[in-house]
């Protein structure tokens, strides 16, 4: 079985480029099969190494090669007499040259090249130490050159290299030259050290999951004022090798990335390359690596065309026709329209230019000769070849996809060629056949009619307009406008009115059809209004804002006011709390995502496009690295179905894509605790272009661990669903679900507040098992959490979470239940509301609020649209963050740390912390600043709502006179100073109390 695998791997390498996962087993098999003690066996292994290194950059293969050379050199050097047919093979000079050549292939890998170069250095130093005295001087000079050359190359362990040179100088240089030589070496290496330090951050970014890091790294290198080809070439080699490895592993998107990297590498060598032979070698490797890439084959064909006129001697050039035939023989060009079109255009362009410059004689202009195919001379044969290439190419494109090429590039090429040859009938025939094949494409029909008008076939154009006006075209408005414009220019009054009448009838039919489609889309999209993720991407809590100055609706310490209605009978029954009122704004259900927009699109153009769908609330246009996208939010969700019918419409003559925003959004949870925004983007970026990653606020619940990943297209989101259930850590499978509002209840963190109850008034003898026994009768339990003080003693309250919301509602019936001789109070848990912190002195002697301020810092200079969750993540890298609260209007935040020492880490940090391009400013959180934050922030203060609901008090005869002095002070204060005094908050009352 193993031998069959080796044979299969050898067959693969004969036709396709392979990575070290294929070549290393082949090298090992070859090394085992041949006699390594004989020159012939060694040469066979060296041949395999040469072939392997020609495909992709592989440090493991290069390491094996260097080790093999050193091992065989030592073996043959130990022989008393070398084999006669060995010659110079594996002599010290030959081995040195061979090792140098191998190391040079990987020396550009600035983080791993030391694995090769250090081996070479150690081998050279070993030779130097064991050499006879009369040879040491020459060898020492060679080693010094080797070390100084390395010092000038950017690499990760430059300190070790410098130390090696220092040791070499100590052992092989006069002592009086030591300081001078090292100072000179230090200056020599400074440029390389700075070059590495400048790229170190980019190198670190390559350690993630995605190939995007290579793309950004390469882009920054190409944008440099002085392009460093040494590093750029090595960077392309690394990116290509990594993409090829991922393709071999079956990663989606790796094939496309590999094509992009090869195309960019070839372009870079064409623009900045040292010579044409190097470019040719790379192009040959590229077509072997991605034989199905029309873009790479097109570059190769254009190079061959340039090579015909080149004055430089280029080795072993094949003809364009041979390269074109070789590309088609792969049988990979019947699936991808884009790649097929690129290949055909490259070959057709070559043939057309040959005719135009007269290399094949005068251009054929006699239509009769062509149509009759009689006595075709070489010039006519070239023209016939060009026509055949284009016609076969069009057929191949239509075979690849029934939709064909939406831009009709080959059809345009062929039709324009016919028109330039004064063959209008042939040009019309091309577009007539195209329009009949693409029956619903307005581009095909309008181009066909334009060709008829251009060639004075006006009656035929009018007949065509009349035939297609009532047909189902993807953009009928374009057909109608073209027809009316044609009649105004070439028609009579009667023909204009006829056209207007027919257009009106056609428009009515189209509107009826669109209404049916909108109704169907609305039915299929049937969503429940969901509002609790509104604001998930803005850092603001997506919950109803609390009126921080309003009195609590329930105050167990005071009597019912006279104007309050008396309690209804049966008040002992559990109170079913009403859910919070629905927010008026519903972004998730009222938003569509628009992609493939032209670069200069404006907000007004988008509003004009969607104006007939409903009232647009907001349009946000975002420039992405690969194009322009936008979100369009309507006032009501009823507008969305009509907006979806705008898919494939055109803006500035460019087709756009419109889809429901949630269809390209994923809900992701249960990922590793150490995961942050960068790692999530790396993990999901391999499936498509990410538009945004939204993180939840941790202001009220620090344990929330989920996020929303939104792509620019639904197909990318669907591909990323394959991550669902994958274990990124042992025993922790990530959950990846489509963010469908209908499935919101299925999410781990959704509706947790409705499934959790708060139990107060517990006896100190109550155990977790006691609570489980009581509440298990109401439904399946998920978790029971009992609050404890620092000494482990129960605090007298607990939280019980059920699997179902209905169970939590039923459990409210346990209110006033007697447990361990205590009456317990049961209500729904509200994570947004915290019990009022009474000013109880802590161990530090400060009140709780003062202690919170003591370990809190204020963050200023935040960028606009800051996500609270992202800010929390960033600061967690520098200190232990307990809670973060964002004040959007002020571009500020207050961060509560675990203790004052952690707060000091941020306040005393010498280096700035950069967040989304802004250097953050930190200052102590004073009482005045905290009061200002309350006035401005919707949450009302330093994480503590000033008018939070009290928890229900349990037990009969409970002392209701606690805090009388405070209430009296409040009453006295509120009665002084009129209405303005009545708006004072707790801090003002606290100051009055001293």
């Amino acid at each position: 079985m193993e031998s069959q695998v080796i044979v299969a791997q050898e067959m693969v390498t004969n036709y396709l480029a392979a990575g070290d996962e294929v070549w290393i087993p082949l090298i090992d098999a070859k090394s085992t099969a041949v006699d390594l003690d004989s020159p012939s066996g060694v040469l066979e292994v060296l041949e395999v190494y040469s072939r392997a290194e020609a495909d992709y950059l592989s440090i493991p293969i290069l390491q094996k090669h260097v080790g093999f050379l050193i091992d065989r050199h030592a073996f043959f050097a130990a022989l008393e007499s070398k084999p006669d047919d060995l010659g110079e093979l594996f002599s010290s000079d030959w081995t040195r040259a061979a090792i140098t050549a191998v190391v040079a292939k990987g020396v550009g890998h600035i983080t791993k090249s030391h694995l090769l170069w250090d081996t070479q250095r150690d081998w050279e130093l070993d030779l130097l130490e064991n050499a006879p005295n009369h040879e040491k001087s020459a060898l020492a000079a060679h080693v010094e050159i080797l070390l100084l050359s390395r010092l000038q190359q950017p690499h990760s362990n430059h300190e070790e290299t410098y130390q090696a040179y220092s040791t070499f100088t100590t052992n092989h240089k006069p002592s009086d030259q030591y300081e001078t030589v090292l100072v000179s070496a230090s200056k020599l290496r400074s440029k390389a050290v700075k070059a590495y330090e400048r790229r170190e951050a980019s190198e670190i970014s390559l350690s993630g999951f995605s190939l995007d890091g290579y793309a950004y790294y390469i882009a920054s290198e190409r944008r440099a004022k002085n392009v460093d080809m040494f590093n750029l070439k090595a960077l392309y080699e690394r990116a290509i090798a990594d993409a090829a490895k991922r393709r071999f592993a079956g990663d989606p998107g790796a094939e496309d990335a590999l094509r992009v990297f090869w195309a960019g590498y070839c372009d870079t060598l064409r623009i900045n390359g040292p010579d044409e032979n190097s470019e040719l070698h790379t192009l040959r490797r590229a077509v072997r690596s991605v034989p199905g890439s029309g873009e790479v084959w097109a570059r190769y064909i254009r190079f061959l065309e340039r090579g015909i006129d080149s004055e430089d001697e280029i080795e072993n050039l094949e003809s364009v026709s041979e390269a074109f035939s070789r590309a088609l023989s792969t049988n990979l060009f019947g699936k991808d329209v884009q790649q097929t079109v690129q290949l055909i255009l490259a070959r057709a362009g070559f043939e057309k230019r040959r005719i135009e410059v007269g290399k094949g004689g005068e251009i054929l202009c006699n239509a009769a000769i062509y149509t009759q195919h009689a006595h075709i001379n070489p010039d006519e044969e070239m023209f016939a070849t060009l026509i055949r290439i284009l016609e076969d190419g069009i057929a191949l494109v239509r075979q690849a996809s029934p939709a064909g090429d939406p831009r009709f590039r080959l059809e345009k090429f062929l039709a324009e060629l016919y028109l330039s040859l004064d063959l209008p009938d042939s040009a019309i025939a091309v577009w007539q056949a195209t329009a009949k094949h693409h029956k619903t494409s307005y581009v095909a029909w309008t181009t066909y009619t334009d060709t008829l008008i251009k060639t004075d076939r006006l009656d035929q154009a009018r007949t065509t307009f009349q035939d297609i006006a009532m047909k189902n075209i993807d953009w009928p408005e374009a057909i109608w406008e073209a027809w009316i414009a044609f009649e105004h220019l070439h028609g009579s009054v009667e023909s204009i009115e006829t056209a207007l009448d027919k257009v009106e009838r056609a428009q009515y039919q189209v509107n009826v059809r669109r209404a049916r489609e909108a109704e169907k889309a609305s039915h299929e999209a049937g969503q429940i209004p969901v509002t609790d993720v509104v604001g998930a991407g803005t850092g603001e809590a997506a919950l109803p804002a609390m009126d921080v100055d309003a009195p609590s609706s329930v105050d167990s310490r005071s009597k019912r006011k006279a104007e309050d209605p008396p309690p209804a009978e049966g008040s002992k029954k559990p109170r079913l709390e009403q859910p919070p009122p629905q927010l008026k704004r519903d972004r998730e259900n009222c938003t569509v995502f628009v992609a493939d927009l032209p670069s200069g699109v404006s907000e007004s153009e988008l509003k004009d496009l969607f104006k007939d769908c409903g009232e647009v609330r907001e349009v946000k246009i975002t420039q992405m690295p690969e194009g322009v996208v936008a979100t369009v939010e309507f006032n009501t969700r009823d507008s969305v179905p009509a907006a979806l019918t705008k898919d494939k419409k055109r803006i500035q003559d460019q087709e756009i894509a419109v889809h429901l925003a949630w269809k390209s959004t994923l809900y992701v949870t249960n990922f590793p605790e150490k995961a942050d925004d960068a790692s999530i983007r790396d993990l999901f970026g391999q499936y498509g272009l990410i538009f945004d990653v939204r993180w939840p606020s941790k202001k009220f619940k620090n344990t929330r661990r989920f996020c929303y990943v939104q792509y620019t297209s639904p197909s990318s989101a669907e591909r990323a669903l394959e991550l669902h259930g994958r274990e990124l850590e042992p025993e922790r499978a990530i959950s990846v679900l489509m963010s469908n509002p209908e499935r919101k209840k299925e999410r781990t963190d959704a509706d947790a507040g409705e499934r959790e109850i708060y139990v107060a008034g517990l006896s100190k003898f109550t155990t977790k098992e006691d609570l489980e026994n009581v509440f298990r009768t109401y439904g399946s339990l998920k978790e029971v959490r009992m609050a404890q003080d620092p000494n482990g003693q129960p605090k007298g309250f607990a939280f019980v979470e059920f699997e179902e919301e209905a169970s939590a509602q039923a459990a409210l019936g346990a209110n006033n239940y007697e447990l361990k001789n205590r009456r317990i109070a049961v209500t729904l848990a509200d994570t947004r509301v915290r019990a009022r912190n009474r000013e109880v002195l802590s161990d530090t002697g400060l009140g709780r609020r003062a202690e919170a301020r003591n370990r809190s810092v204020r963050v200023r200079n935040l960028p606009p649209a800051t996500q609270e969750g992202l800010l929390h993540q960033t600061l967690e890298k520098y200190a232990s963050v307990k809670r973060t609260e964002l004040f959007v209007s002020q571009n500020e935040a207050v961060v509560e740390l675990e203790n004052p020492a952690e707060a000091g880490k941020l306040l005393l940090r010498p280096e700035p912390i950069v967040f989304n391009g802004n250097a953050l400013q930190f200052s102590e959180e004073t009482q005045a600043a905290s009061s200002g934050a309350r006035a401005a922030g919707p949450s009302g203060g330093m994480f503590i709502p000033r008018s939070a609901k009290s928890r229900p008090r349990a037990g009969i005869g409970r002392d209701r006179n606690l805090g009388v002095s405070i209430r009296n002070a409040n009453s006295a204060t509120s009665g002084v100073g009129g209405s303005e005094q009545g708006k004072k908050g707790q801090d003002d009352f606290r100051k009055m109390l001293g």
Side-chain angles (χ1 to χ4, degrees):
M1 181 67 181
E2 184 176 350
S3 61
Q4 294 177 349
V5 172
I6 295 298
V7 171
Q9 290 175 333
E10 288 178 346
M11 292 179 60
V12 168
T13 59
N14 289 332
Y15 301 99
L16 300 172
D20 49 27
E21 57 278 339
V22 173
W23 279 115
I24 288 180
L26 288 177
I27 291 171
D28 292 340
K30 178 62 71 174
S31 300
T32 304
V34 302
D35 181 10
L36 296 179
D37 297 341
S38 67
S40 59
V42 169
L43 287 174
E44 286 187 45
V45 175
L46 289 177
E47 173 63 23
V48 179
Y49 273 116
S50 177
R51 291 176 56 203
E53 292 162 9
D55 281 347
Y56 300 115
L57 171 66
S58 171
I59 298 297
I61 290 178
L62 296 176
Q63 281 184 280
K64 286 178 68 71
H65 194 174
V66 171
F68 177 78
L69 293 172
I70 293 174
D71 176 73
R72 291 298 88 193
H73 170 265
F75 172 79
F76 288 115
L79 296 178
E80 294 183 0
S81 60
K82 294 184 179 181
D84 295 335
D85 53 350
L86 190 64
E88 289 297 315
L89 202 66
F90 288 104
S91 65
S92 294
D93 291 339
W94 183 92
T95 304
R96 178 178 293 110
I99 291 176
T100 301
V102 174
V103 172
K105 294 177 181 179
V107 76
H109 197 310
I110 63 178
T111 57
K112 293 186 178 180
S113 60
H114 66 277
L115 299 174
L116 304 171
W117 190 90
D118 290 355
T119 304
Q120 181 185 16
R121 177 202 62 201
D122 294 342
W123 180 75
E124 293 282 4
L125 290 173
D126 187 61
L127 285 183
L128 176 60
E129 293 300 323
N130 297 317
N133 290 332
H134 67 278
E135 296 180 2
K136 283 193 174 182
S137 177
L139 288 175
H142 170 75
V143 172
E144 183 177 18
I145 293 172
L146 185 71
L147 287 165
L148 290 175
S149 175
R150 179 60 171 172
L151 286 173
Q152 298 176 68
Q153 297 170 350
H155 58 286
S156 58
N157 67 331
H158 46 76
E159 288 295 340
E160 184 180 335
T161 305
Y162 184 69
Q163 186 60 42
Y165 183 68
S166 174
T167 303
F168 170 82
T169 304
T170 301
N171 295 333
H172 299 282
K173 288 283 186 180
S175 58
D176 59 341
Q177 298 181 12
Y178 179 80
E179 185 175 351
T180 304
V181 169
L182 286 188
V183 169
S184 176
S186 181
K187 293 180 179 178
L188 196 65
R189 78 184 186 115
S190 61
K191 185 177 179 180
V193 172
K194 290 179 180 178
Y196 175 77
E197 290 176 347
R198 189 170 63 251
R199 297 177 172 92
E200 189 170 12
S202 298
E203 290 290 336
I204 293 173
S205 70
L206 300 183
S207 60
F209 296 97
S210 174
L211 294 170
D212 290 342
Y214 284 108
Y216 294 133
Y217 195 176
I218 288 171
S220 65
E221 290 289 333
R222 292 187 66 170
R223 288 195 304 266
K225 184 176 181 181
N226 297 314
V227 178
D228 184 353
M229 286 299 295
F230 172 80
N231 187 63
L232 186 54
K233 288 172 62 177
L235 192 54
Y236 268 118
E237 292 285 356
R238 293 165 60 188
I240 288 167
D242 196 358
K245 188 178 292 291
R246 292 168 185 263
R247 180 181 65 175
F248 184 83
D251 285 2
E255 174 73 21
D256 293 338
L258 190 58
R259 292 175 178 179
V260 171
F261 287 144
W262 273 120
Y265 191 15
C266 295
D267 290 342
T268 298
L269 292 178
R270 174 176 55 82
I271 298 169
N272 305 301
D275 57 71
E276 291 180 330
N277 284 320
S278 175
E279 183 183 353
L280 174 60
H281 176 67
T282 303
L283 283 165
R284 286 173 173 169
R285 291 174 59 211
V287 296
R288 175 175 159 84
S289 173
V290 283
S293 172
E295 296 175 345
V296 172
W297 278 106
R299 285 166 171 80
Y300 182 46
I301 289 174
R302 289 195 292 268
F303 175 86
L304 296 177
E305 184 177 355
R306 282 188 281 117
I308 296 174
D309 300 323
S310 176
E311 297 180 358
D312 299 332
E313 176 129 10
I314 304 177
E315 54 182 15
N316 302 324
L317 273 185
E318 64 180 324
S319 67
V320 171
S321 59
E322 290 172 342
F324 182 74
S325 299
R326 195 153 59 89
L328 291 180
S329 67
T330 62
N331 295 323
L332 298 174
F333 288 95
K335 301 175 182 178
D336 192 320
V337 170
Q338 174 66 18
Q339 303 304 324
T340 304
V341 170
Q342 293 285 348
L343 175 65
I344 303 300
L345 285 176
R347 174 67 196 281
F350 166 73
E351 296 293 344
K352 184 173 183 294
R353 286 185 289 274
R354 285 183 65 201
I355 298 174
E356 288 176 343
V357 300
K359 286 194 173 180
E362 295 298 323
I363 191 167
L364 179 65
C365 296
N366 191 330
I369 296 178
Y370 171 69
T371 53
Q372 294 173 5
H373 296 284
H375 308 292
I376 294 181
N377 60 37
D379 299 336
E380 297 163 0
E381 186 175 355
M382 292 174 64
F383 178 76
T385 300
L386 176 56
I387 298 296
R388 185 179 65 254
I389 290 169
L390 289 168
E391 290 178 343
D392 291 347
I394 292 171
L396 193 61
V397 167
R398 293 175 182 173
Q399 173 189 334
S401 170
D405 177 19
R407 289 184 281 174
F408 303 110
R409 285 166 287 182
L410 298 182
E411 289 86 348
K412 290 178 181 178
F413 194 124
L414 182 58
E416 289 298 323
L417 179 63
Y418 279 133
L419 290 176
S420 67
L421 298 174
D422 196 21
L423 296 170
D425 291 337
S426 299
I428 291 172
V430 170
W431 286 115
Q432 186 177 26
T434 301
K436 288 183 178 180
H437 184 270
H438 302 277
K439 298 178 181 179
T440 62
S441 171
Y442 86 93
V443 176
W445 284 109
T446 53
T447 310
Y448 173 41
T449 54
D450 286 345
T451 304
L452 290 172
I453 296 168
K454 189 185 299 185
T455 55
D456 292 329
R457 270 71 166 181
L458 302 182
D459 292 338
Q460 191 175 350
R462 181 174 289 109
T463 303
T464 303
F465 277 126
Q466 292 172 350
D467 291 342
I468 64 175
M470 305 295 289
K471 289 185 177 180
N472 186 13
I473 306 295
D474 53 7
W475 193 11
E477 289 84 355
I479 301 292
W480 302 334
E481 291 177 7
W483 185 13
I484 294 172
F486 165 76
E487 294 296 352
H488 279 297
L489 188 61
H490 301 286
S492 61
V493 173
E494 291 78 8
S495 63
I496 293 174
E497 291 177 344
T498 300
L500 290 172
D501 293 340
K502 287 194 174 182
V503 166
E504 183 180 3
R505 289 196 298 273
Q507 194 167 16
Y508 172 78
Q509 293 183 3
V510 168
N511 289 339
V512 171
R513 187 181 73 248
R514 286 177 177 172
R516 288 197 300 267
E517 292 174 353
E519 184 178 357
K520 181 181 178 181
S522 177
H523 177 72
E524 291 177 351
Q527 307 161 30
I528 330 174
V530 177
T531 60
D532 60 342
V533 293
V534 176
T538 64
E540 300 178 68
L543 298 164
M546 292 182 290
D547 184 357
V548 296
D549 290 320
S552 176
S553 59
V554 178
D555 192 344
S556 60
R557 299 174 298 179
S558 61
K559 296 182 179 179
R560 179 176 56 84
K561 295 180 180 180
E563 63 272 20
D564 289 343
E569 290 187 9
S571 59
K572 295 295 184 180
K573 295 181 179 179
R575 298 185 303 274
L576 301 181
E577 297 188 1
Q578 296 299 320
Q582 180 180 335
L583 296 180
K584 294 181 180 179
R585 193 166 186 178
D586 185 9
R587 286 192 183 94
E588 191 171 60
N589 293 303
C590 297
T591 304
V592 295
F593 194 88
V594 189
D596 301 335
L597 289 168
S599 57
V601 68
S602 64
E603 182 177 329
S604 59
E605 288 179 295
L606 286 171
K607 286 186 175 180
D608 288 342
L609 177 66
F610 292 102
K611 65 182 179 182
D612 58 337
C613 302
E615 187 175 352
V616 176
R617 177 192 288 270
E618 186 178 50
V619 175
K620 288 185 179 179
I621 300 175
T622 304
Q623 178 69 51
M624 302 290 291
E626 299 181 13
V628 180
V629 297
T631 55
V632 179
E633 181 185 355
F634 296 92
N635 278 336
T636 63
R637 58 190 298 226
D638 295 336
S639 304
V640 170
L644 296 177
T645 63
K646 301 297 183 181
D647 187 39
K648 299 188 181 302
K649 294 297 183 287
R650 289 186 171 259
I651 295 180
Q652 297 181 12
D653 202 30
Q654 181 169 324
E655 188 175 281
I656 64 171
V658 181
H659 62 265
L660 284 168
W662 65 262
K663 285 197 172 182
S664 61
T665 305
L666 299 174
Y667 171 76
V668 185
T669 187
N670 205 38
F671 41 76
E673 293 185 10
K674 63 182 180 181
D676 58 4
D677 188 73
S679 62
I680 290 294
R681 287 179 182 272
D682 286 340
L683 177 62
F684 286 87
Q686 58 186 311
Y687 297 99
L689 183 62
I690 294 177
F691 172 65
D692 192 20
V693 178
R694 304 194 303 275
W695 294 87
S697 167
K698 295 187 178 182
K699 180 167 55 179
F700 298 113
K701 191 174 182 181
N702 198 36
T703 58
R704 303 178 86 188
R705 193 168 73 252
F706 65 89
C707 66
Y708 294 91
V709 179
Q710 185 172 12
Y711 289 95
T712 58
S713 68
S715 59
S716 300
E718 291 170 3
R719 288 196 299 269
L721 289 174
E722 73 172 35
L723 289 174
H724 182 68
R726 181 181 297 183
E727 288 192 3
L728 302 183
E729 285 183 349
E731 305 300 325
R732 185 187 293 276
I734 189 173
S735 174
V736 182
L737 301 172
M738 196 66 72
S739 182
N740 188 337
E742 284 189 318
R743 299 182 59 187
K744 195 166 187 64
K745 294 289 183 182
E746 300 174 18
R747 301 175 187 167
T748 304
D749 195 66
D751 75 345
E754 288 76 16
R755 292 185 284 105
E756 190 174 60
I757 60 173
Y758 172 77
V759 186
L762 297 173
S763 165
K764 64 180 181 179
F765 301 108
T766 302
T767 65
K768 183 178 178 181
E769 290 72 21
D770 293 332
L771 291 175
E772 289 177 347
N773 292 334
V774 171
F775 291 102
R776 189 179 291 116
T777 59
Y778 296 99
S780 178
L781 299 179
K782 185 174 183 181
E783 185 181 17
V784 175
R785 304 190 308 278
M786 296 189 67
Q788 295 178 336
D789 62 18
N791 298 322
Q793 298 299 319
K795 286 186 175 183
F797 65 91
F799 293 91
V800 179
E801 186 177 354
F802 291 87
E803 294 287 353
E804 301 292 338
E805 179 182 344
S807 302
Q809 294 285 347
L812 295 176
N815 187 43
N816 216 22
Y817 177 82
E818 184 174 339
L819 179 64
K820 295 291 179 76
N821 297 322
R822 293 287 298 271
R823 294 281 180 177
I824 63 174
V826 182
T827 185
L828 283 177
D830 189 347
T831 56
R832 298 165 295 156
V833 177
R834 302 182 183 275
R836 285 177 288 191
N837 282 332
R838 292 165 290 181
E839 284 297 313
V840 178
L841 294 181
S842 65
D843 295 338
T844 62
L846 300 174
R848 293 186 180 180
R849 290 181 177 84
E851 187 180 20
R853 284 195 297 271
N854 195 34
R855 62 172 180 263
S856 301
V857 297
R858 180 166 288 270
V859 187
R860 293 183 170 86
N861 196 35
L862 291 173
T866 293
Q867 287 193 43
E868 190 174 289
L870 279 182
L871 178 62
H872 192 102
Q873 281 182 19
T874 302
L875 297 180
E876 277 184 323
K877 298 175 182 178
Y878 305 97
S880 298
V881 179
K882 188 174 182 180
R883 199 171 294 114
T884 304
E885 183 168 9
L886 186 68
F887 304 107
V888 179
S889 60
Q890 301 176 2
N891 287 335
E892 295 181 4
V894 176
V895 181
E896 182 182 351
L897 288 304
E898 289 292 339
N899 52 60
E902 294 296 322
K905 289 182 181 180
L906 297 181
L907 293 171
L908 302 178
R909 180 177 173 81
E911 298 86 7
I913 297 177
V914 179
F915 178 72
N916 288 351
N918 285 26
L920 302 182
Q921 300 171 3
F922 298 95
S923 62
E924 294 185 32
E925 175 61 4
T926 62
Q927 185 169 356
S930 180
S931 300
R934 288 189 186 97
S939 302
M942 181 58 202
F943 312 112
I944 304 169
R946 292 186 299 175
S947 185
K949 292 181 180 180
S950 298
R951 295 296 184 192
R953 310 301 180 182
I956 299 176
R958 185 182 181 278
D959 186 1
R960 300 179 182 272
N961 295 323
L962 295 177
V964 171
S965 60
I966 295 179
R967 289 200 304 277
N968 291 340
N970 290 351
S971 302
T973 311
S974 61
V976 179
S979 61
E980 291 299 319
Q981 293 292 334
K983 294 183 179 178
K984 289 185 176 180
Q986 292 178 358
D987 285 340
D988 300 292
F989 301 148
R990 220 171 275 121
K991 292 176 184 177
M992 296 181 65
L993 294 173

